[in-house]
Amino acid sequence: MQSLKPWRGVARRLLLTAHCLLPTLMHDDLRIAILAYTNNPAYRAVKPKIIAERLGLEGDAMAEAKKSIKKMVRAGELEYGPNHLVLPVDEDHPARQNLAPTKRDTKRKSDGKYVTGILRRVSSGDGFVRPEGTPASAGKDLDIYVSKRNAGDAASGDTVRIALSSKPGPKGKPEGKLVDIVTRATNTFVGTYFEQSGMGLVQVDGKVFASPIYVGDPGAKGAKDDDKVVLEMVRFPSHLRDGEGVITRILGGRTEPGVDTLSIKMEYGLPGDFREEVMQVCREQAEAFSEQSTGEAIPEGRTDLTSETVITIDPATARDFDDAISLARLDNGHWELGVHIADVSHFVPEKTVLDSEAYDRATSVYLPDEVIPMLPEIISNNLASLQPDKVRYAMTARIEFTEDGAPIGADVFKSAIKSCRRFTYEEVDAYLGEKQLVKPASPAREGGESVAAELVPDVDRLLTDMFTLAMTLRRRRFERGSLELHMPEMTIDLDGDGRVTGAHLAENTESHQIIEEFMLAANEAVAQKLADEGLIFLRRVHAPPEPRKMRALTDFVRDLGFKADNLQDRFELQELLNKVKDDPRSHAVNFATLRSMQKAVYSPEEEGHYALASDCYCHFTSPIRRYPDLIVHRLIDQLNRGVKPRQEMPTYLQWGDHCSDREQRAAGAERELKKVKLLTYLEDKIGTQMDGVITGVESFGIFVMGNDLPAEGFIHITALGDDYFKFDRATHSINGFRSGNSFRLGDPVRVAVASVDVDARELDFRYLGRAKGKKRPSAGSRAKGAKPKKSGQHKRAMGDAAKKPKAKKNGGRRPKRGGK
């Protein structure tokens, strides 16, 4: 067998040279060295860290080598085997002998010209395919471009097989052509029924298909105009032919109460009621727990913490309580924080129908007027809920901090607790105001009754100490480079009958920050404990943003008039986000920053969490509503019991991808239903006036967000006045040639609701003028009006708000918003 020593020497020389080069060149040299080492016949499968050590690397060079190996796996130059072992791609390499075949082994095609993956369509009809096996944390640069002419009748979400082209597509991306559709994401869609020219048609909600779908004779299934219906697709539309389907269910009239929520649930494929066999397991668990709780003794293997002062802080409308807090000062002046999380694993046995159902759902879905739980209410609202004055089973993370908030140790174990007080966020904010720890808040109760006056001394002291430690942890977190986007969540206001009465942006007050800091601390402590034990576990991963996107973000904020040298520096980015907090351009800057970031996902990969500036992070604190937390709880329990957990990297990768997909589905459904309800509320309020701020500027018009009502609407360039307008990308403005009127990102404006299209999810505003009493934010140089040098550089506005140009290339709908 050949020796590896010569290859180590080659690798070492390459790497010594690489340290003097740019990071991109360093990756190339590392790649050469790693390939030279792993392709040698004497190589035997080891983990990335061992490869780096054997190449003589340490410190930053070792970290860079591990990143390069990950990139090479994504590029198909290496593969991960069992237990995260690194394998060469050559199937006959000795390192692969006696190892289980990898997922890619079973999917590899002999000719290598075909790729299987998920298709994502864009508004133009073109698509991109994400190859199977691509980690969820990877950017879009690995996607394969498929033009609409080569995409056939495949729809977004379909698993497709494509043939790769020898020529690159747009922007150098690889290009492919549809060969066949492996599986359809769904054949079921929701839309609005109408009749035209003696035919029954359904316009599918949103912008899934540009043209209506033919469903046969008028009145099919008894459907009437404006009914919301469920459509089963018989023939999918393509760029060559129309689609055809059949109505399988009538949900009701479009404006009937509850139909909007039902439509979104059907559109996103959200789960319904729990099956009877699932409920039977829950009833058995309830009966067993009832028998256990009749005795006074705490079960063996569970630490009795029922005598400690423990409280919960939750929203006023909360029905389940999955986290509780205790806090003490030790004799040495240190803090001892207890984060007690509902022990869901006690009530959800592995490999049961209940566990299978929880995994399939993976997350609870929080809609404006309904919650679709991951677990039946017997567990989520009763058995596992940390209700006050009741003994409840918990998984406790006990963390010791120095006086200035530095963590020095943690223990995680099963416990029994008894919460002595349930607080709402509003009550805690009022308490902090009474104690003059923060700016006084409005009274938490009618009549302004004091919160502090009714508390026993231990609880009074606990709340004060919680605030002190939480603010210390928060300061330390930002000092290490943690980022915080200022994008408040929109909350829909409903009356007693479930009708929308308005909307508002949720506040992130000090009471929320207290719980947030303690949950972050517990998640990080648990992740570090599992990492120290050398275990594979489901991490919460947030990959660093791509340098290209951060350079674009830097240019963007410079154009807005902000000083920015290099926003790849997290501390400079943090400073910018703090600076724009109360600026009219805040939404634009935060939105652009969000779009520059990658998505946070679940994965066993050691990627770290960029936004939190954490090298090791997981989700531990919400097992009632998140399956990844339940996985972590079970792993901790096995570790404490001395049971060696089953560790298979492909399994954890599969779990991570599934839970990430379910999380994104839930977020999409919640976001879409909020939009539908807000648009429905505005549908009969045409002409209503409001102040707003320009949140987006494009060549075809501007986007405006209302100040008091957080609804974003569009004003087409033809509705901005009787003038010629020029779009200036550098200053994010549209400038009139004759009138001198200009519209720039962050400008305060007065608008009126012009039109609402609920089914298309579109809101149009009418421009009324500048907002009274509002001044423009200062910015850098602004474009001046000038005569156009050539045709196509300007737009002609007709001054008619009701007249909208046809956008034939976009299915008759307005152009999609672009921007940074």
Side-chain angles (χ1 to χ4, degrees), residues 715-778:
I715 305 176
H716 198 274
I717 196 168
T718 56
L720 292 176
D722 188 7
D723 202 347
Y724 286 94
F725 286 90
K726 179 182 178 182
F727 172 59
D728 191 317
R729 186 176 298 277
T731 58
H732 305 278
S733 63
I734 293 177
N735 304 283
F737 279 62
R738 286 204 304 260
S739 65
N741 281 339
S742 66
F743 302 88
R744 193 181 67 220
L745 198 67
D747 279 356
V749 292
R750 183 77 175 169
V751 297
V753 177
S755 67
V756 177
D757 189 337
V758 179
D759 295 335
R761 319 288 201 251
E762 292 179 351
L763 168 65
D764 286 338
F765 283 140
R766 177 162 49 91
Y767 175 66
L768 300 178
R770 301 292 171 188
K772 294 181 179 179
K774 300 289 185 179
K775 292 184 179 180
R776 270 188 164 181
S778 59

Side-chain angles (χ1 to χ4, degrees), residues 68-254:
S68 291
I69 290 172
K70 188 176 298 182
K71 291 179 182 177
M72 293 165 70
V73 170
R74 292 173 181 169
E77 296 178 313
L78 294 172
E79 293 182 16
Y80 284 135
N83 298 319
H84 213 207
L85 300 177
V86 179
L87 301 176
V89 294
D90 182 5
E91 294 179 81
D92 298 323
H93 193 285
R96 302 178 73 98
Q97 294 179 4
N98 302 320
L99 290 178
T102 67
K103 185 176 181 180
R104 190 174 296 179
D105 286 334
T106 62
K107 296 183 179 296
R108 186 182 282 113
K109 305 298 180 181
S110 59
D111 55 13
K113 295 181 181 179
Y114 299 100
V115 171
T116 301
I118 305 295
L119 176 72
R120 173 177 54 87
R121 288 264 198 177
V122 294
S123 58
S124 65
D126 298 333
F128 297 88
V129 171
R130 170 63 56 98
E132 277 189 346
T134 302
S137 59
K140 295 179 181 179
D141 288 343
L142 300 180
D143 292 355
I144 299 165
Y145 170 75
V146 182
S147 73
K148 62 183 177 183
R149 293 184 177 276
N150 292 329
D153 64 352
S156 278
D158 290 350
T159 301
V160 299
R161 185 167 176 260
I162 59 173
L164 293 179
S165 170
S166 59
K167 298 180 180 179
K171 297 182 180 180
K173 278 185 176 291
E175 184 171 0
K177 180 179 182 179
L178 182 77
V179 175
D180 64 295
I181 298 171
V182 180
T183 55
R184 290 281 189 188
T186 181
N187 286 353
T188 303
F189 300 89
V190 176
T192 304
Y193 177 83
F194 68 99
E195 296 174 8
Q196 188 177 76
S197 302
M199 295 186 299
L201 300 166
V202 173
Q203 181 64 60
V204 174
D205 288 351
K207 298 179 181 178
V208 180
F209 304 114
S211 302
I213 306 300
Y214 171 71
V215 292
D217 296 333
K221 290 278 185 179
K224 302 184 291 294
D225 273 355
D226 270 354
D227 272 354
K228 281 290 180 186
V229 298
V230 179
L231 170 74
E232 187 79 19
M233 197 69 74
V234 175
R235 184 181 69 202
F236 279 76
S238 70
H239 75 289
L240 294 175
R241 66 184 186 187
D242 293 333
E244 184 177 348
V246 294
I247 294 174
T248 59
R249 183 177 175 185
I250 299 173
L251 303 179
R254 190 175 64 85

Side-chain angles (χ1 to χ4, degrees), residues 628-639:
D629 304 56
L630 179 55
I631 294 175
V632 168
H633 277 228
R634 287 170 173 164
L635 200 54
I636 287 287
D637 183 45
Q638 289 176 308
L639 186 64

Side-chain angles (χ1 to χ4, degrees), residues 649-664:
M649 193 69 173
T651 300
Y652 278 85
L653 286 168
Q654 180 183 350
W655 288 348
D657 288 346
H658 170 75
C659 292
S660 297
D661 289 343
R662 286 291 191 257
E663 177 187 54
Q664 291 167 21

